Each structure stands twice: as C-alpha cells, then as structure tokens.
Amino acid sequence: MTRQTASLVALVVLAAGCASVRAFLVPPDAPRSAVAARPVSTVDAIVIVGTVHGRPGARAIAVGKGQLVAVGPAADVTPLRAPETVVIRLQTAYATPGLVDAHVHLEGAAMLRDAADLRAATTSVGLLTAVAKARPLAGEWLWGFGLSPALWHSLTQDDLDAVCVDLPCYLSRSDGHGGRMSSALAQRTSAGQQARIRACEGRLQGELARDVWRSLPPVRAERLRPLVQQVLNEMAATGVVANQWFGDAVEDSPMARRSSQTSAFISVMRAF
C-alpha cells in the first residue's frame, strides 16, 4: 500500500461505539449499491466497518492510488480485492468523511510577520541567510518557522549557535510540534527545562517543545497589536465576516477587546 493510500485511509474517521454521535450528523442519502469513482480492477486497501455515514447498507470502502474508488455493501466491494490488497476489519466502527479543524491562531499569525522563513533552507548556510534577513525584525529573541525535519535532526548545538550568532532564537520545525533553540535563548529557561533540553541534545518536540515555547518572553504588546490588526484586516479582505476568541481569560484580554472594537467584522469572545 502506498504512503498516499495509507494517508487517505487514515483520514477516514473510524469511531467504534459512537452511536450517540450519529444524532448530530446530517441525514443520510437514500440507499444505493457500491459505485466506483473510476474504472478499477483491484485496489490497495479495503476497510470493512459497521456503518458508513450517509450510505445505508454500506459496510466497505475501497481505496486505490490515493482515491476512494468504491463504497457499498461488502459483497459488492470485496471482489476488488487482490492478493496484495490490505484489508482492515473494524466491524463495529462508524466511518465518516475526514473532518478538518481549520482555524488560525491570530497571535501566531501576527508573529509570522516578524519571523524568519526557514522553509526553503536545506543547509545551515540557508538557515544563516534566512535568520540574517529577519534579524532587523527581532525583539528580545527571533522566531523562525518551517525548519525541515532533516535539519531539526542533523544540526548540532554548535551549528545552531553559529546560525543565530549572538541573537537568541527559536526555530520551529515545519510540523509545528518541535523546534531547536540557541544556547543564548536556552539560558533564559528554568534550570529544570535546561536539564531536559540537554537530555534530548536540544531536539525539542512534544510536551517539552510546548513547555519551552510557553516559557519564552512574550512579544511586546505594542509590537504585537498592529500585527494582529494587520491579520484581521487581511482576513476581512478575503470575505471573513466574524472571528471568535476562546480562552479561560479571554474577556480580560486587551487585545481581544480592542479587536472587537476596531475590526471590520464581528468579534465574539467566549470564555471557558
């Protein structure tokens, strides 16, 4: 099974025993037999489930070359199986289309305006160029985004310090869930965090990356406010008509209150 096909199978949300969720889903279509999206003789994977949302009677999904090619009763879909076809049996599962949580972190989007774009960098020399370009925008420290997983893994701490020179910097991995930081910035973290950073040789990811990121000095409010406003204005220009601020103290946030007064669209604040 190809990586593309595996990714597509992973996007099918399979939740066993979620009958209580079904009441919130849109009404199903009328019953119909399996229909192939394109002519196909065999497929890469077949998923057998208990129920397919919107397709009464359907219990099988066939995937080939990165596409859903057939959905219907198992008797109609399983004949597409070949010796190399992967069959996943989840007879009690409920399958729905993949759900995408599309959202923007406004402050993060604003910070991108002052960040080093590392996406094109494939060597430490490329990183040095990107960091140097963004250096005039840095405050107490510089954020870089888009660090490739290969560089995240291969850079030594000396390499990273040579890239950042004397500027404290944090370079986020391209998936957003890991990063590397200069020694100058690591020295500003707690003693406990510094020990954890040394233990993983500076390759931050998961819980440690989150903890370190949250402990970094905040961007100055006087710099962040106009950047957030710029993001809001750009959103409004694309046709967005409202935004929502979430958080346990959002009602006390001066930035959230200010955006509700100055934005070109409605701002709703929800505390939880």
Side-chain angles (χ1 to χ4, degrees):
M1 182 167 58
T2 65
R3 180 178 297 179
Q4 185 181 22
T5 298
S7 299
L8 183 57
V9 172
L11 283 174
V12 178
V13 179
L14 299 167
C18 62
S20 60
V21 176
R22 301 178 190 179
F24 298 96
L25 301 176
V26 297
D29 298 331
R32 45 184 164 168
S33 59
V35 177
R38 57 180 173 79
V40 62
S41 56
T42 60
V43 294
D44 299 317
I46 294 176
V47 184
I48 308 295
V49 298
T51 305
V52 177
H53 172 64
R55 300 296 295 274
R59 294 191 57 200
I61 302 169
V63 180
K65 295 184 178 179
Q67 296 183 14
L68 294 177
V69 297
V71 179
D76 293 348
V77 176
T78 52
L80 300 174
R81 179 181 180 182
E84 66 275 13
T85 300
V86 175
V87 178
I88 303 171
R89 300 183 184 278
L90 300 166
Q91 282 88 340
T92 63
Y94 188 93
T96 77
L99 306 178
V100 178
D101 176 18
H103 67 280
V104 173
H105 293 259
L106 288 175
E107 293 187 5
M111 289 174 62
L112 288 175
R113 271 71 179 168
D114 282 353
D117 187 348
L118 312 175
R119 291 175 293 180
T122 58
T123 66
S124 58
V125 174
L127 287 179
L128 181 63
T129 301
V131 169
K133 182 179 180 180
R135 179 179 289 265
L137 302 174
E140 291 185 56
W141 56 282
L142 177 71
W143 177 36
F145 68 94
L147 179 68
S148 73
L151 284 175
W152 173 87
H153 184 268
S154 65
L155 285 175
T156 67
Q157 191 61 47
D158 287 342
D159 292 335
L160 187 62
D161 289 340
V163 164
C164 297
V165 194
D166 58 342
L167 177 65
C169 61
Y170 184 98
L171 309 183
S172 291
R173 199 169 60 196
S174 56
D175 63 1
H177 297 287
R180 299 293 301 272
M181 65 192 310
S182 66
S183 297
L185 188 57
Q187 291 172 1
R188 301 190 182 190
T189 64
S190 67
Q193 286 180 334
Q194 290 181 41
R196 295 170 67 193
I197 293 169
R198 288 193 297 271
C200 67
E201 298 181 330
R203 295 174 179 85
L204 313 180
Q205 60 182 333
E207 182 180 351
L208 177 57
R210 290 191 297 271
D211 289 347
V212 169
W213 175 260
R214 291 168 180 166
S215 70
L216 297 179
V219 178
R220 300 187 308 275
E222 60 271 21
R223 177 56 185 160
L224 191 58
R225 276 196 296 267
L227 295 178
V228 168
Q229 191 61 54
Q230 181 181 343
V231 173
L232 292 171
N233 292 342
E234 292 172 0
M235 291 169 61
T238 65
V240 175
V241 297
N243 74 318
Q244 297 193 47
W245 294 75
F246 289 88
D248 54 1
V250 67
E251 292 177 337
D252 298 325
S253 168
M255 194 167 301
R257 290 200 308 271
R258 189 172 187 277
S259 76
S260 67
Q261 299 167 359
T262 60
S263 299
F265 47 86
I266 300 170
S267 290
V268 180
M269 293 180 285
R270 298 182 184 278
F272 60 84

